Amino acid sequence: MMKKKSIFASKASLVLFLCQMISALDVPLDSKLLEELSQPPTITRQSPKDYIVDPRENIVIQCEAKGKPPPSFSWTRNGTHFDIDKDAQVTMKPNSGTLVINIMNGGKAEAYEGVYQCTARNERGAAISNNIVIRPSRSPLWTKEKLEPNQVREGDSLVLHCRPPVGLPPPIIFWMDNAFQRLPQSERVSQGLNGDLYFSNVQPEDTREDYICYARFNHTQTIQQKQPISVKVFSMDSLNDTIAANLSDTDIYGAKPVTERQPVLLTPTGSTSTKVELRGNVLLLECIAAGLPTPVIRWIKEGGELPANRTFFENFKKTLKIIDVSEADSGNYKCIARNILGSTHHVISVTVKAAPYWITAPRNLVLSPGEDGTLICRANGNPKPNISWLANGVPIAIAPEDPSRKVDGDTIIFSHVQERSSAVYQCNASNEYGYLLANAFVNVLAEPPRILTPANKLYQVIADSPALLDCAYFGSPKPEIEWFKGVKGSILRGNEYVFHDNGTLEIPVAQKDSTGTYTCVARNELGKIQNEVQLEVKDPTMIIKQPEYKVIQRYGQVSFECIIKHDSTLLPTVIWLKDNGELPDDERFLVGKDNLTIMNVTDKDDGTYICIVNTTLDSVSASAVLTVVARPNPPFDLELTGQLERSVELSWIPGDENNSPITNFVIEYEDGLHEPGVWHYQTEVPGTQTTVQLKLSPYVNYSFRVIAVNEIGRSQPSEPSEQYLTKSANPDENPSNVQGIGSEPDNLVITWESLKGFQSNGPGLQYKVSWRQKDVDDEWTSVIVANVSKYIVSGTPTFVPYEIKVQALNDLGYAPEPSEVIGHSGEDLPMVAPGNVQVHVINSTLAKVHWDPVPLKTVRGHLQGYKVYYWKVQSLSRRSRRHVEKKILTFRGNKTFGMLPGLEPYSSYKLNVRVVNGKGEGPASPDKVFKTPEGVPSSPSFLKITNPTLDSLTLEWGSPTHPNGVLTSYILKFQPINNTHELGPLVEIRIPANESSLILKNLNYSTRYKFYFNAQTSVGSGSQITEEAVTIMDEAMASRQVDIATQGWFIGLMCAVALLILILLIVCFIRRNKGGKYPVKEKEDAHADPEIQPMKEDDGTFGEYSDAEDHKPLKKGSRTPSDRTVKKEDSDDSLVDYGEGVNGQFNEDGSFIGQYSGKKEKEPAEGNESSEAPSPVNAMNSFV
């Protein structure tokens, strides 16, 4: 605490004291606390200072106050005590200081005019109200006066005075006629601020007898009416007629015509005037001028600008209005009235004064015993206001002394206050324009700490946002506040917390670990109290998939997504807005859980769509723009300018592009003369261009239209332009595509493409057709034909060349000389057949034919080529004839040989040759016979294995479908396949060609064999067919093997063997991937005998296994039928299926790969899998 002796040492020490003084207590606005604490009175409601009342109603003078204990009220009237008990018309409302003066039951308002002041008092002080001036409203009648009619000459100025009665408050003035219609006002006729009606110049239409001024008194809701004023305007013409009627012919008469006059101010008068206005009020300045023509008013501020945003012009700029004026608005304002004859002006000097206004109003002080404080009352005004203090409504100079109080101008200083120092102080700031009165109490309290925040209050915040934990408190002296976290937590300190003066704890960035219980402790010298609050920190709400910008075509469907993530304990609500407003009430808008879908989109759906997610703690939003695009609207306002014979300029205005830029414009034209209703493409221009120079043809009645194009499509065509008919002219061009081709041997048909209508360039379109035989010294033969496209010349030699030309002409003349074309008269069939036909047989399926060309003169037309007719007579192996099917090969041009592919071996053929022209074929050459040699046969038609026994199998087969020669024998090869899928020795048997079955004996029992079977001619072996079969097992051996298989030692042995096989398979797989050869292949390489090598399918040569061949698919392949018969169409390389449906096949190099026992892994080349599951029996058989 500062020592008291330093307070009054000097002004400097006083300022230092004020800066260091302990701040006063703030009393929280807690209703329960306020009910318990003693408090001096405070005025809460009072009537206005200038209180104008309706004299017909009761007068209510308000005065409400609060305090503890509740205050009592008293009044003064005109500075003396007002004893309401002695006036039966006056009552005070219960628990209030409001006075009610009963006027409606006999009282008169005028009797209660005066200045009233209310005092509210309790044991801790007294507060006073403003001085309330009570005045009853007055609305007096107009004084009766005799009004002479106003007779005025046309063009003169006129002022109709209103002079309303003085009322309280002043009335509102307006002018009307007898029909209660407001009189029209303008720049020429207007009402001034004083209510007068000003005419800058009168006109004949101003003549009337019912100019009536009305005064409306709002308080009494009455309107007073002035007597009507009559105005009669004399025009110059009528005035001259009147004068002429009263004067003789010899008199000089005639009034002057209406003359124009320069402006003269009607109000204000003179060249200068002054105006005083109070700060904060509305400044109104007025200038009304007379003159003919009617003057125009302009306002300026000398040496400055009129204030922006606060300046307004009213009454046709005759009134300058500046709102909320301040001292800065003082200055000279000039109004200038001007017409064509000159100008005049008036300067109004404006001074802005100010009633007192607060800079710092005194505030209530709540102090503890022994504390210091200040009341400061600072106000400003023009002139500067005087400051005076009162204590409990009594001037402080005569108020009871208080040693803790010292007045220093606009400040009262309190030091070491005691409870008896409590009082209400009034500060009065006044000047000649008004006063301000403020009450401020000093309340000295001694109270232990109280915490006003509810116990265990729950606060919920979002992570990474501030958390504010309240600890509203009160105590006197002011308590100290401390915060703890948890039940046994230490006091909170550090930069991560902010401690506010009102007790609030702020956690600037709350985290999830900030959740918990916080304890607030308040203590002063009179006691201590604590309170706990709870804090929960929630995960923030996020939009994890925001709506995206969409461009959609009109009538399409669009969807905006808004997928959110939120704290599981918070319940979010999703709201969609369009352009910051609600979505349209339209069933096309479908709001889903995570999206907004708009069906059948229209142009009005264009805009910004906002997804707002709200929880009780936070809110997030995301937006996206929807752009609705469509084909452009059609262009309009087509205009033709610069019309010339061969060109015109077309311009247009583009239609709405519908959010998709126009890329180009397409211009089309209609020829109303030749093809009405048909529109043709003319040209197109870029979308930035709206004019184009168009080339025109003669003799066309043009109309144009324009089509706009954007990315969505083409607009509807515009309305057609006006028509433009171009002049006729000679044709510019001749027909195109002129040809001469005879349709008969003795004619020449001349054809051409006719000119289109607009190409004719004029009426009377015809064609001049000319022809002559080429290379013959003949004159041109010409004929003029109508607008056709063909002319036939008869009696021509067969197929001779002609020079031809076709020229267009019309009524104005010929087109330019046409170019010549070569044509031919009609063709006839060729006369002779090709000679010296020779055939060279290349192999069993291919032959080459030669012939001599025919002389060109005998062709009698355009040589197109030669046709070779050939057919098979019979097969030499079967000696049987069949239906003859002729084949034709065409060789274009002047060729003399050709190849005949696809022949059948060992067959007899015939052929002939014919020449071909545009008319057809000539005679055939004599038939030429040739034979094809033998070839290799096709595969046997089937191979079937039946009747399996212990040591034999029966084979049956069918002969080849195409023997292609004389069969010499059949070749059968076979080899066993063991359980390791290896192929055994290959055995070959040659069988006579006339046999169709064979029984193989001395085979191993229970063994699988693979068979290869093909036929032979003298040329070689044909394609082979393959099959597999198994000999049956001896039943006794099988029984013995089953018994062995049940022995434990055998089972263990088999497991060891299986493990060994698995290891070998893994090794083989690794070696195979490294490109090595399989053991089977190595064995094959070790044998020099080529018979056991697999044969290549294409050329019958022996091949070696290659890694590159491992994964090639079969060229041919099919599953063998259940009867184990291999048909002709089956693959020669495929293995037959085993009994359990296991597949097997050959690689392209002939090595066998496959799967047995249902296994999927591929085995080494030439190794074959068993068709049976690996069982002890099979394993035993493999060892036997």
Side-chain angles (χ1 to χ4, degrees):
M1 185 69 68
M2 295 288 294
K3 293 184 178 180
K4 189 173 181 179
K5 64 179 181 179
S6 64
I7 295 178
F8 307 108
S10 64
K11 282 287 184 181
S13 62
L14 173 61
V15 173
L16 181 62
F17 173 80
L18 293 176
C19 294
Q20 295 178 346
M21 185 168 294
I22 299 174
S23 62
L25 290 172
D26 288 329
V27 179
L29 297 177
D30 182 88
S31 58
K32 184 178 179 181
L33 175 65
L34 294 176
E35 289 177 1
E36 296 176 358
L37 294 179
S38 298
Q39 181 178 315
T42 300
I43 300 292
T44 58
R45 181 180 296 177
Q46 56 184 317
S47 294
K49 294 178 182 178
D50 190 6
Y51 189 16
I52 299 175
V53 299
D54 190 335
R56 300 166 300 178
E57 297 180 354
N58 293 340
I59 302 173
V60 178
I61 310 175
Q62 289 187 331
C63 179
E64 303 288 343
K66 65 179 180 179
K68 183 68 175 180
S72 60
F73 297 89
S74 62
W75 286 86
T76 63
R77 177 183 175 188
N78 298 328
T80 61
H81 177 66
F82 182 35
D83 191 351
I84 62 175
D85 294 333
K86 294 182 179 180
D87 192 331
Q89 302 296 331
V90 180
T91 58
M92 184 183 294
K93 290 184 177 181
N95 302 317
S96 168
T98 298
L99 294 181
V100 178
I101 303 174
N102 195 336
I103 302 299
M104 301 178 68
N105 287 336
K108 291 187 178 181
E110 292 79 3
Y112 293 94
E113 285 191 66
V115 179
Y116 293 78
Q117 188 172 46
C118 171
T119 300
R121 186 185 309 274
N122 68 9
E123 63 188 28
R124 288 194 166 249
I128 61 175
S129 69
N130 291 323
N131 286 327
I132 303 171
V133 179
I134 301 296
R135 292 186 297 170
S137 173
R138 288 187 290 272
S139 52
L141 299 175
W142 245 291
T143 57
K144 291 186 177 182
E145 56 181 324
K146 186 177 180 181
L147 299 177
E148 297 293 335
N150 290 276
Q151 296 187 359
V152 60
R153 187 175 58 178
E154 180 183 357
D156 288 351
S157 61
L158 174 65
V159 179
L160 300 182
H161 298 287
C162 180
R163 299 190 183 97
V166 177
L168 187 67
I172 297 173
I173 306 300
F174 51 94
W175 289 80
M176 293 197 298
D177 58 15
N178 277 331
F180 295 99
Q181 298 298 316
R182 285 186 178 268
L183 296 176
Q185 299 190 21
S186 62
E187 289 185 343
R188 186 177 64 84
V189 182
S190 60
Q191 177 182 315
L193 294 177
N194 62 356
D196 293 345
L197 190 62
Y198 292 86
F199 295 78
S200 295
N201 52 80
V202 295
Q203 301 296 328
E205 60 265 23
D206 296 329
T207 298
R208 64 189 307 155
E209 297 181 351
D210 56 351
Y211 286 93
I212 305 173
C213 181
Y214 288 86
R216 185 175 67 210
F217 298 90
N218 284 342
H219 261 71
T220 59
Q221 296 297 312
T222 58
I223 296 179
Q224 305 292 353
Q225 173 184 337
K226 187 182 179 74
Q227 290 179 320
I229 302 175
S230 174
V231 174
K232 185 174 183 180
V233 179
F234 292 97
S235 64
M236 292 301 100
D237 292 339
S238 63
L239 188 59
N240 286 336
D241 292 343
T242 301
I243 296 174
N246 294 309
L247 295 178
S248 64
D249 293 340
T250 58
D251 293 329
I252 299 175
Y253 66 90
K256 295 181 180 179
V258 176
T259 58
E260 296 179 337
R261 301 190 314 280
Q262 67 180 19
V264 176
L265 286 175
L266 298 176
T267 182
T269 58
S271 60
T272 62
S273 60
T274 61
K275 174 79 171 180
V276 176
E277 192 55 78
L278 292 181
R279 178 181 183 270
N281 287 353
V282 176
L283 173 64
L284 293 173
L285 304 179
E286 181 181 57
C287 275
I288 300 177
L292 187 67
T294 303
V296 175
I297 306 297
R298 186 169 66 92
W299 292 89
I300 62 172
K301 182 180 181 182
E302 294 182 344
E305 298 290 334
L306 295 175
N309 303 323
R310 295 189 294 115
T311 301
F312 303 91
F313 298 100
E314 297 179 346
N315 198 20
F316 309 99
K317 291 192 175 181
K318 299 174 186 179
T319 302
L320 172 66
K321 177 180 178 180
I322 301 177
I323 63 173
D324 192 23
V325 295
S326 64
E327 289 85 344
D329 295 323
S330 296
N332 292 331
Y333 292 81
K334 178 187 288 187
C335 70
I336 303 170
R338 184 185 304 275
N339 66 9
I340 58 175
L341 299 180
S343 65
T344 186
H345 68 271
H346 184 90
V347 177
I348 305 173
S349 179
V350 175
T351 302
V352 178
K353 298 291 185 177
Y357 57 91
W358 291 118
I359 296 176
T360 304
R363 299 178 59 188
N364 296 333
L365 278 178
V366 179
L367 301 174
S368 302
E371 286 188 331
D372 302 336
T374 59
L375 289 178
I376 300 175
C377 177
R378 290 177 185 162
N380 202 358
N382 186 9
K384 188 173 180 62
N386 295 320
I387 303 295
S388 60
W389 287 97
L390 297 87
N392 295 325
V394 178
I396 201 165
I398 61 175
E401 290 189 5
D402 184 350
S404 64
R405 177 184 70 209
K406 178 174 177 57
V407 178
D408 186 6
D410 58 7
T411 303
I412 301 178
I413 302 169
F414 299 93
S415 56
H416 299 287
V417 296
Q418 302 300 318
E419 285 197 59
R420 63 178 180 274
S421 301
S422 296
V424 181
Y425 291 88
Q426 290 81 33
C427 173
N428 186 303
S430 60
N431 65 10
E432 60 187 279
Y433 298 106
Y435 72 94
L436 293 173
L437 177 68
N439 290 277
F441 63 69
V442 175
N443 195 13
V444 181
L445 298 173
E447 295 287 337
R450 306 183 191 195
I451 294 181
L452 307 178
T453 300
N456 292 313
K457 184 175 181 180
L458 177 62
Y459 294 88
Q460 294 178 326
V461 298
I462 295 297
D464 298 324
S465 63
L468 297 173
L469 308 183
D470 291 336
C471 183
Y473 67 91
F474 179 74
S476 183
K478 183 178 180 180
E480 294 180 359
I481 302 299
E482 294 176 333
W483 281 93
F484 300 84
K485 182 180 180 184
V487 180
K488 297 182 179 179
S490 59
I491 187 171
L492 298 182
R493 293 188 178 89
N495 295 330
E496 56 185 311
Y497 301 103
V498 177
F499 301 95
H500 293 273
D501 291 339
N502 62 356
T504 297
L505 170 65
E506 179 181 353
I507 306 174
V509 183
Q511 302 295 333
K512 293 289 283 186
D513 57 5
S514 301
T515 299
T517 301
Y518 290 80
T519 303
C520 164
V521 178
R523 59 165 58 90
N524 66 9
E525 61 190 38
L526 300 177
K528 166 187 170 184
I529 193 172
Q530 69 180 37
N531 186 41
E532 291 182 352
V533 295
Q534 308 296 325
L535 174 63
E536 291 181 358
V537 181
K538 307 289 187 179
D539 291 326
T541 304
M542 294 183 293
I543 299 178
I544 58 178
K545 187 165 186 181
Q546 300 185 356
E548 298 176 346
Y549 172 73
K550 294 292 179 67
V551 177
I552 190 70
Q553 290 190 31
R554 186 187 296 163
Y555 310 124
Q557 175 179 324
V558 67
S559 183
F560 292 105
E561 287 189 297
C562 185
I563 300 177
I564 64 174
K565 178 182 178 183
H566 60 91
D567 192 285
S568 59
T569 63
L570 298 177
L571 182 62
T573 57
V574 179
I575 301 173
W576 286 91
L577 302 178
K578 178 182 183 294
D579 297 330
N580 292 318
E582 293 184 359
L583 289 179
D585 185 12
D586 193 328
E587 61 185 10
R588 298 181 300 108
F589 288 77
L590 305 177
V591 178
K593 178 183 177 183
D594 298 322
N595 58 27
L596 167 65
T597 301
I598 308 174
M599 313 287 290
N600 196 22
V601 172
T602 64
D603 291 338
K604 65 182 180 181
D605 299 330
D606 206 272
T608 301
Y609 289 83
I610 307 170
C611 168
I612 301 176
V613 184
N614 294 318
T615 68
T616 55
L617 299 182
D618 63 348
S619 177
V620 292
S621 65
S623 64
V625 174
L626 172 63
T627 300
V628 180
V629 296
R631 296 184 301 170
N633 292 350
F636 57 94
D637 282 355
L638 272 65
E639 184 180 5
L640 296 178
T641 56
Q643 290 92 338
L644 300 175
E645 290 187 3
R646 293 295 182 104
S647 68
V648 70
E649 183 175 89
L650 173 66
S651 62
W652 61 90
I653 297 176
D656 193 340
E657 64 184 18
N658 291 325
N659 294 323
S660 180
I662 296 174
T663 57
N664 58 292
F665 293 99
V666 176
I667 293 89
E668 296 179 341
Y669 72 90
E670 177 196 28
D671 181 0
L673 193 62
H674 303 98
E675 293 181 293
V678 180
W679 290 90
H680 301 277
Y681 173 86
Q682 171 89 8
T683 186
E684 61 183 84
V685 296
T688 56
Q689 188 172 327
T690 57
T691 60
V692 63
Q693 193 78 19
L694 300 175
K695 294 182 179 179
L696 306 180
S697 297
Y699 195 54
V700 177
N701 192 14
Y702 281 101
S703 289
F704 299 98
R705 70 183 187 184
V706 183
I707 299 171
V709 182
N710 63 11
E711 289 186 357
I712 310 305
R714 295 162 62 101
S715 72
Q716 291 294 321
S718 67
E719 291 295 324
S721 70
E722 59 181 307
Q723 291 187 329
Y724 177 49
L725 178 63
T726 54
K727 294 181 179 179
S728 301
N730 292 7
D732 292 327
E733 52 190 308
N734 288 302
S736 60
N737 197 22
V738 177
Q739 294 181 338
I741 301 174
S743 61
E744 298 294 338
D746 61 348
N747 73 7
L748 173 65
V749 180
I750 302 173
T751 60
W752 60 90
E753 287 187 9
S754 300
L755 298 180
K756 297 185 182 299
F758 73 90
Q759 293 175 310
S760 66
N761 286 5
L765 177 64
Q766 293 178 302
Y767 299 100
K768 179 182 178 182
V769 184
S770 304
W771 69 91
R772 69 180 177 183
Q773 190 171 339
K774 189 176 184 296
D775 301 327
V776 177
D777 191 15
D778 282 350
E779 294 295 328
W780 287 95
T781 302
S782 299
V783 62
I784 294 178
V785 299
N787 187 10
V788 295
S789 60
K790 181 171 71 173
Y791 182 76
I792 300 175
V793 180
S794 302
T796 62
T798 300
F799 196 68
V800 294
Y802 279 86
E803 295 176 329
I804 304 167
K805 58 184 180 180
V806 180
Q807 186 177 22
L809 68 152
N810 62 18
D811 291 351
L812 279 78
Y814 285 88
E817 184 67 21
S819 58
E820 300 172 5
V821 297
I822 303 299
H824 288 79
S825 57
E827 297 181 77
D828 205 347
L829 294 176
M831 300 174 61
V832 300
N836 194 24
V837 177
Q838 300 292 330
V839 179
H840 172 60
V841 177
I842 297 176
N843 56 37
S844 61
T845 60
L846 182 65
K848 184 175 183 181
V849 59
H850 292 263
W851 62 87
D852 291 340
V854 299
L856 290 179
K857 289 185 178 180
T858 66
V859 176
R860 299 200 295 180
H862 295 287
L863 176 63
Q864 294 186 355
Y866 293 87
K867 285 186 178 181
V868 178
Y869 286 74
Y870 66 100
W871 61 97
K872 180 181 176 180
V873 178
Q874 67 177 17
S875 174
L876 298 178
S877 60
R878 293 196 174 110
R879 301 294 179 183
S880 60
R881 294 183 178 273
R882 62 177 183 175
H883 172 70
V884 176
E885 179 184 353
K886 289 188 177 182
K887 298 182 180 179
I888 304 173
L889 286 177
T890 301
F891 300 94
R892 298 291 179 185
N894 199 19
K895 293 190 68 174
T896 60
F897 66 91
M899 305 297 290
L900 306 180
L903 304 176
E904 294 185 12
Y906 206 48
S907 299
S908 176
Y909 281 87
K910 285 185 179 181
L911 65 78
N912 59 51
V913 184
R914 311 177 194 192
V915 66
V916 182
N917 67 10
K919 189 72 173 179
E921 300 175 1
S925 67
D927 291 347
K928 188 74 174 179
V929 179
F930 66 95
K931 298 179 180 179
T932 56
E934 288 188 82
V936 297
S938 62
S939 62
S941 57
F942 68 89
L943 175 61
K944 183 166 61 175
I945 303 173
T946 59
N947 301 324
T949 66
L950 287 174
D951 61 350
S952 68
L953 293 169
T954 300
L955 280 70
E956 297 177 1
W957 61 86
S959 60
T961 306
H962 301 287
N964 295 336
V966 179
L967 294 181
T968 58
S969 63
Y970 292 100
I971 302 298
L972 173 66
K973 298 177 184 179
F974 65 94
Q975 59 189 148
I977 305 173
N978 63 19
N979 285 345
T980 60
H981 317 307
E982 293 181 345
L983 296 172
L986 187 68
V987 179
E988 180 176 328
I989 299 175
R990 186 176 297 272
I991 303 170
N994 57 352
E995 297 290 338
S996 61
S997 64
L998 175 69
I999 298 176
L1000 284 178
K1001 298 182 179 180
N1002 300 321
L1003 301 177
N1004 295 330
Y1005 65 89
S1006 187
T1007 302
R1008 179 174 295 278
Y1009 287 89
K1010 182 173 183 180
F1011 299 89
Y1012 312 90
F1013 192 70
N1014 61 285
Q1016 282 189 332
T1017 64
S1018 60
V1019 176
S1021 299
S1023 301
Q1024 67 181 9
I1025 187 171
T1026 63
E1027 181 59 283
E1028 294 184 13
V1030 182
T1031 56
I1032 65 174
M1033 182 188 301
D1034 180 59
E1035 295 181 3
M1037 177 65 72
S1039 175
R1040 186 167 59 252
Q1041 289 175 342
V1042 170
D1043 292 339
I1044 294 173
T1046 60
Q1047 302 300 313
W1049 64 268
F1050 183 76
I1051 294 174
L1053 178 60
M1054 290 301 100
C1055 291
V1057 171
L1059 179 61
L1060 180 60
I1061 291 173
L1062 178 61
I1063 294 173
L1064 289 174
L1065 289 175
I1066 294 173
V1067 172
C1068 291
F1069 180 79
I1070 295 173
R1071 293 190 62 188
R1072 178 177 179 178
N1073 287 342
K1074 292 182 178 179
K1077 297 180 179 180
Y1078 294 93
V1080 174
K1081 186 64 183 175
E1082 292 173 355
K1083 291 180 182 180
E1084 290 176 353
D1085 291 342
H1087 292 79
D1089 186 1
E1091 290 293 326
I1092 66 171
Q1093 302 295 329
M1095 297 183 66
K1096 293 186 178 178
E1097 191 177 63
D1098 51 357
D1099 58 4
T1101 60
F1102 298 106
E1104 181 175 315
Y1105 182 85
S1106 169
D1107 273 346
E1109 304 281 327
D1110 281 350
H1111 301 290
K1112 290 182 180 178
L1114 289 175
K1115 294 181 180 177
K1116 302 177 183 177
S1118 65
R1119 297 180 62 86
T1120 303
S1122 59
D1123 62 357
R1124 314 194 65 76
T1125 301
V1126 180
K1127 300 274 176 89
K1128 177 181 89 170
E1129 60 270 25
D1130 292 337
S1131 169
D1132 294 339
D1133 293 335
S1134 64
L1135 293 178
V1136 295
D1137 293 347
Y1138 294 151
E1140 295 181 1
V1142 182
N1143 298 327
Q1145 63 182 6
F1146 279 103
N1147 272 339
E1148 289 182 350
D1149 62 359
S1151 58
F1152 175 72
I1153 61 173
Q1155 298 175 342
Y1156 302 102
S1157 307
K1159 296 193 292 184
K1160 298 297 182 182
E1161 299 86 355
K1162 289 187 178 180
E1163 296 299 334
E1166 298 187 353
N1168 292 275
E1169 297 176 350
S1170 172
S1171 65
E1172 302 174 14
S1175 68
V1177 175
N1178 288 335
M1180 189 64 182
N1181 289 339
S1182 66
F1183 283 105
V1184 175

